[in-house]
Amino acid sequence: MAKGLRMYRARSATGDVLRISELQKGQPVWCNCCGTPVIFTNGYRRGDGIEVSPYLRLSPLHDHTEVCKYSVTSQLQTLAALGQSLEEHRRPILALDESKYVFRLNILKDELDALPRLEGKPSPEVVRQRHVQVWSGRTLEPYCRSAVGLAKIAALLEEKAELSALVSIRHRGRTIKWADFFFGEDSSPRLLKLLRSEDYQNAKYPVAVLVRPTKLCPSTNGRAEHIQCGREIVEDEPRTLMIPRLYGLPKILKSVRANEDYIIFGDWYASKPKDDVGSNADPTPHNAVSFENISVNLHQSAQLCALEDE
């Protein structure tokens, strides 16, 4: 069975619930939900240079109770309950038995297909408006919350490989590998490759990505207001960095806190590679840094969640 999630709060010997910033390494602490012993773990630097904060994890030979909110079992049961009020074919997570689940990634495509059929070849603007209509609708809220919830479990789970044994991801009759759905630490090269692959362009399903927002950028030079995220390394030689950008309603963008990790679920888009931009493009000088851009549109707050929120 998969172990518990990383934690950022714990109960001290005096019974106080303290945030990780209030704890010291070696201080005895316990899970503030079920009381099992947990231990302080130092932060570290990711391969792309982003600093990961200290966190709490299970003490060796201990485990959370099944009903503890930090257990994978409890988390999955909570996510499965999100869509219970919907018709069965619209429920994002279905329980197959007591411990296994399936996440139905195809619900977005199903909702788009349910819209009235358009005659002739629709314009790009009409297609965009239909996507906005579906993405911003209430029906998709449980779907988005389920997606970011599953991705958050994957990001916080100590024994990540075991999650795929508990939850399978299905899209239009095919199984999507976890590695092609959630992109966590040091996965920029894999994400960029997927977004530009012919197989993905044909399937075109939403994915969940871990990002570190850094600043809110105003509208300039025709580019809409957006949030720029921390640069991530795609290649060392030649040096290539990827910059994720988040577009959306002002009220959503302004709710995002800078320099904290977020899970973002949506239709991510990668700009064309430099070789495809045009034959007149200048070659990258030796030792220069080149940049790749990916972006996503946020139509509702359910598409994102902070990694350290409880």
Side-chain angles (χ1 to χ4, degrees):
M1 177 60 67
K3 292 294 183 181
L5 309 182
R6 293 182 183 181
M7 304 165 54
Y8 298 95
R9 293 176 184 266
R11 193 174 299 279
S12 68
T14 60
D16 298 315
V17 177
L18 304 176
R19 292 192 60 83
I20 186 76
S21 58
E22 301 173 293
L23 301 175
Q24 297 180 359
K25 186 176 181 180
Q27 177 181 352
V29 286
W30 295 262
C31 172
N32 60 294
C33 182
C34 68
T36 194
V38 294
I39 56 177
F40 183 99
T41 303
N42 286 326
Y44 56 92
R45 183 186 293 271
R46 281 169 29 179
D48 54 17
I50 291 179
E51 295 286 346
V52 176
S53 303
Y55 60 93
L56 299 157
R57 62 180 177 85
L58 284 167
S59 182
L61 304 180
H62 290 85
D63 205 348
H64 297 288
T65 63
E66 285 196 0
V67 296
C68 178
K69 65 180 180 181
Y70 296 110
S71 76
V72 176
T73 300
S74 177
Q75 291 279 329
L76 292 177
Q77 289 174 347
T78 300
L79 290 176
L82 285 177
Q84 289 302 307
S85 62
L86 300 174
E87 301 168 77
E88 185 171 337
H89 72 279
R90 287 182 168 180
R91 295 176 187 172
I93 296 181
L94 293 178
L96 302 179
D97 55 35
E98 292 183 354
S99 61
K100 295 185 183 297
Y101 299 83
V102 59
F103 174 56
R104 302 166 70 181
L105 190 54
N106 54 278
I107 286 179
L108 170 67
K109 188 68 166 62
D110 292 346
E111 292 296 311
L112 286 168
D113 290 347
L115 294 176
R117 186 180 180 86
L118 296 172
E119 298 297 330
K121 186 177 180 180
S123 67
E125 179 59 23
V126 169
V127 173
R128 188 193 71 81
Q129 290 177 356
R130 286 163 71 89
H131 272 79
V132 172
Q133 176 185 342
V134 172
W135 267 112
S136 58
R138 283 192 171 186
T139 301
L140 243 62
E141 184 178 349
Y143 171 69
C144 293
R145 294 201 184 283
S146 297
V148 296
L150 287 173
K152 184 173 181 177
I153 293 174
L156 296 177
L157 190 59
E158 287 289 296
E159 300 180 15
K160 301 181 188 301
E162 296 193 29
L163 186 56
S164 60
L166 299 174
V167 183
S168 60
I169 302 172
R170 299 286 294 172
H171 181 262
R172 295 260 152 164
R174 61 183 287 197
T175 298
I176 302 297
K177 295 184 295 184
W178 266 92
D180 290 338
F181 165 70
F182 170 61
F183 296 84
E185 297 179 11
D186 304 322
S187 60
S188 300
R190 189 164 50 80
L191 173 58
L192 199 61
K193 181 178 180 181
L194 176 81
L195 295 180
R196 289 176 174 164
S197 68
E198 183 178 353
D199 183 59
Y200 178 77
Q201 291 300 318
N202 291 331
K204 202 63 180 175
Y205 57 84
V207 296
V209 182
L210 177 68
V211 299
R212 176 76 59 88
T214 55
K215 62 181 179 179
L216 180 65
C217 302
S219 302
T220 55
N221 300 324
R223 174 174 279 167
E225 181 182 43
H226 64 279
I227 290 177
Q228 182 170 303
C229 300
R231 300 172 178 180
E232 302 179 17
I233 297 173
V234 177
E235 293 182 32
D236 284 320
E237 294 292 340
R239 185 75 166 176
T240 305
L241 302 177
M242 185 179 78
I243 302 177
R245 289 187 170 90
L246 315 178
Y247 293 87
L249 300 173
K251 65 179 181 180
I252 297 179
L253 298 182
K254 287 178 171 56
S255 71
V256 177
R257 301 184 296 271
N259 300 313
E260 294 189 23
D261 286 330
Y262 279 80
I263 301 290
I264 308 292
F265 174 68
D267 284 327
W268 283 88
Y269 169 79
S271 60
K272 290 184 178 181
K274 284 192 173 182
D275 292 344
D276 294 345
V277 173
S279 57
N280 294 326
D282 294 330
T284 303
H286 182 62
N287 292 331
V289 177
S290 62
F291 295 93
E292 302 281 5
N293 297 313
I294 65 170
S295 60
V296 67
N297 287 307
L298 301 174
H299 305 288
Q300 58 174 289
S301 58
Q303 287 179 251
L304 69 160
C305 74
L307 196 62
E308 294 190 20
D309 276 357
E310 298 191 354

